[in-house]
Amino acid sequence: MNLTTKNSPNTVGTRNENGTRNENGTRNENGTRNENGTRNGPRTRHSHGTRNKKLALTTAALAIAAAGTFGVVTANAATGAPATATTGTAAPTTATTAANGNLTTTTHLTVAAATHAAQAALDAAVKEHQKVSVAVVDRDGNTLVTLRGDGTGPQSPESAVRKAYTAVSWNAPTSELAKRLAQAPNLKDIPGTLFLAGGAPVQAKGAPVAGVGVAGAPSGDLDEKFAQAGVAALGK
């Protein structure tokens, strides 16, 4: 390091840039100032002390934010020690797999197949100049497709859904189910059902996988004829 000595014309004594200033006495920039006597005023500035604490705190904050997904951060600002990030190992997650005996598999009609069946039923009605609505529901009774024909009444879409729901619930055409009301009249009170001809189940190996319902024709027999046309289209 190169040092320089600067003498001020208005100052008795010498001020050295490297730390010593003589003003009728001695003033040391590193801690002691004597001015016509002794005045001790420590002027200690540690560039590696107080500043380091602030830097350490800032570093610790950044380290904590960055290590949120990697582990635990330990910061010691009091001693000025740098923050350290410790990568921890996540506790293993225990997943319980159900035994095969606790599971069951069901078969459902695809949306594409349901749309095909509904369109086939509607086309059959149009050929006979009938204005109907068609609905297809899955094995759980959820509506997959609803087609409302031109000029149909406002009640027909809901009636078609309820006929399809009834057919898949009992795995039988609704015309046959309607006959059971004579022995069990309370069946008609089950929510979502409609015991009128016009609903037909879709089966796979004898089990119901969907239901097709048609409503709007002058008679239930016609509705059911069109519903069966939709079911038959799935086998082609």
Side-chain angles (χ1 to χ4, degrees):
M1 179 182 293
N2 296 322
L3 303 178
T4 327
T5 301
K6 181 179 180 181
N7 296 324
S8 173
N10 297 323
T11 304
V12 180
T14 303
R15 178 176 182 179
N16 299 325
E17 292 296 322
N18 64 343
T20 304
R21 181 180 178 182
N22 298 322
E23 298 174 356
N24 293 330
T26 302
R27 177 180 178 181
N28 297 325
E29 292 295 323
N30 62 346
T32 305
R33 180 180 177 182
N34 299 322
E35 296 177 356
N36 296 327
T38 301
R39 177 181 176 183
N40 295 323
R43 298 180 60 191
T44 304
R45 181 177 182 181
H46 300 290
S47 60
H48 299 289
T50 306
R51 271 185 170 179
N52 278 353
K53 289 185 179 181
K54 294 182 179 180
L55 291 174
L57 289 174
T58 304
T59 304
L62 293 175
I64 290 171
T69 58
F70 297 103
V72 180
V73 173
T74 303
N76 189 349
T79 61
T84 58
T86 303
T87 303
T89 303
T93 302
T94 303
T96 302
T97 303
N100 290 337
N102 295 327
L103 304 177
T104 185
T105 302
T106 58
T107 303
H108 293 262
L109 201 64
T110 65
V111 173
T115 303
H116 178 60
Q119 189 62 57
L122 184 61
D123 290 345
V126 171
K127 285 181 180 180
E128 297 192 25
H129 308 288
Q130 300 298 324
K131 299 176 181 179
V132 302
S133 291
V134 183
V136 180
V137 303
D138 66 10
R139 178 64 186 89
D140 300 321
N142 301 308
T143 303
L144 294 174
V145 180
T146 302
L147 297 179
R148 182 174 181 177
D150 296 334
T152 58
Q155 83 290 347
S156 63
E158 182 180 354
S159 296
V161 171
R162 293 174 65 184
K163 288 180 181 182
Y165 180 88
T166 305
V168 75
S169 296
W170 278 272
N171 192 23
T174 51
S175 58
E176 294 296 325
L177 296 173
K179 300 174 183 178
R180 300 182 187 181
L181 291 179
Q183 291 77 28
N186 291 336
L187 287 176
K188 68 181 185 301
D189 298 329
I190 298 175
T193 61
L194 184 60
F195 290 86
L196 295 176
V202 178
Q203 299 177 339
K205 297 180 180 181
V209 295
V212 179
V214 177
S219 68
D221 291 339
L222 280 175
D223 284 339
E224 196 158 307
K225 176 183 178 181
F226 303 143
Q228 293 289 3
V231 174
L234 295 175
K236 295 179 180 179

